[in-house]
Amino acid sequence: MNEIELKAHVKNVEYTKEKLNSFAAYQGFITREDFYYCNPDSQEIKIRIRKETSENEQKIFLTYKKKSFLENEKTECNEEKECIISSELPLTNFFQDSGIKLALTKTKKVHEWKVEFQPDEISPSVKGANLELCEVSSLGYFLEIEILCSEQSKEIQDKSVKKLHDLLNLAGISNEEIECKTYSQMLTER
């Protein structure tokens, strides 16, 4: 699955919540604890273990993301492979025994909204967008907007990027607030 996403700084959290509630369906609150592992020879972050906790349950995800940026350098287009695991312990033990190191941890407190699209608004395979108002530990508040698609054509990317910017504007956030750095980059620069 490919995700096309952008994130922007949020200056006024309550105002942003009001704007999101005016056009998107609120889904709930979750906490995400992310643990990034890398090979010490390459120092590239490759694997993430995520513990996601909602009111009713906790899930653990194993994710490999191949990150890239579109031509505008403000929009990510990531290839993502993800699965749910029952426990992180076998993996963390394997990582430790293999010399793979914990590179970074991150905690996000997330309020989620969803917007559904018309069938051919972008592509029949693109059903909508996820909007997440995130408080990221030691970095502040961000709005992440993501569109998932199975296709990778330039036309779909262009339509998705336009839709992301339209949704950002509906949320009352200007394009100047878009953050081009990944959270990992921002956290390691601190």
Side-chain angles (χ1 to χ4, degrees):
M1 185 65 66
N2 296 300
E3 60 181 22
I4 300 172
E5 69 177 273
L6 63 75
K7 70 175 161 293
H9 294 269
V10 173
K11 292 182 178 176
N12 186 327
V13 173
E14 291 308 313
Y15 172 76
T16 302
K17 283 181 181 179
E18 285 177 28
K19 296 293 273 184
L20 290 168
N21 284 326
S22 73
F23 69 90
Y26 184 71
Q27 303 296 301
F29 176 81
I30 57 174
T31 301
R32 294 182 179 138
E33 295 176 274
D34 292 343
F35 304 87
Y36 293 90
Y37 291 86
C38 71
N39 180 329
D41 295 333
S42 70
Q43 292 301 312
E44 291 183 29
I45 296 173
K46 292 284 188 184
I47 301 284
R48 177 184 72 204
I49 294 175
R50 169 174 281 170
K51 293 181 181 179
E52 188 171 283
T53 307
S54 67
E55 292 178 22
N56 305 333
E57 64 183 333
Q58 183 180 54
K59 293 180 184 175
I60 304 171
F61 297 91
L62 175 65
T63 306
Y64 171 75
K65 260 189 187 182
K66 190 174 185 180
K67 282 191 174 285
S68 61
F69 284 86
L70 298 178
E71 292 172 9
N72 65 15
E73 296 188 17
K74 291 186 174 188
T75 308
E76 290 182 34
C77 184
N78 303 317
E79 181 183 349
E80 185 173 287
K81 309 291 186 202
E82 184 170 78
C83 64
I84 295 176
I85 58 176
S86 59
S87 170
E88 75 279 7
L89 291 177
L91 276 171
T92 55
N93 288 341
F94 168 75
F95 291 160
Q96 184 176 359
D97 292 347
S98 301
I100 298 171
K101 304 287 185 195
L102 178 64
L104 185 70
T105 61
K106 173 183 76 191
T107 301
K108 289 197 305 188
K109 297 176 182 175
V110 180
H111 291 275
E112 293 184 300
W113 285 263
K114 286 193 185 286
V115 171
E116 292 184 12
F117 298 156
Q118 296 299 317
D120 289 328
E121 199 165 339
I122 294 176
S123 161
S125 68
V126 177
K127 306 296 183 205
N130 300 318
L131 299 99
E132 298 179 346
L133 180 59
C134 306
E135 180 183 6
V136 181
S137 55
S138 77
L139 295 178
Y141 286 90
F142 296 85
L143 179 64
E144 296 179 28
I145 308 172
E146 141 186 298
I147 294 173
L148 300 175
C149 59
S150 55
E151 306 163 59
Q152 262 193 310
S153 75
K154 174 90 167 102
E155 178 186 0
I156 290 173
Q157 285 182 352
D158 290 345
K159 285 181 177 179
S160 296
V161 169
K162 181 182 179 333
K163 191 65 174 176
L164 290 172
H165 286 271
D166 292 346
L167 292 169
L168 185 67
N169 290 331
L170 280 174
I173 299 174
S174 72
N175 287 340
E176 289 77 38
E177 297 302 325
I178 294 174
E179 177 57 63
C180 299
K181 294 179 183 176
T182 66
Y183 291 127
S184 298
Q185 289 171 318
M186 288 187 281
L187 287 167
T188 54
E189 289 174 358
R190 286 190 144 300

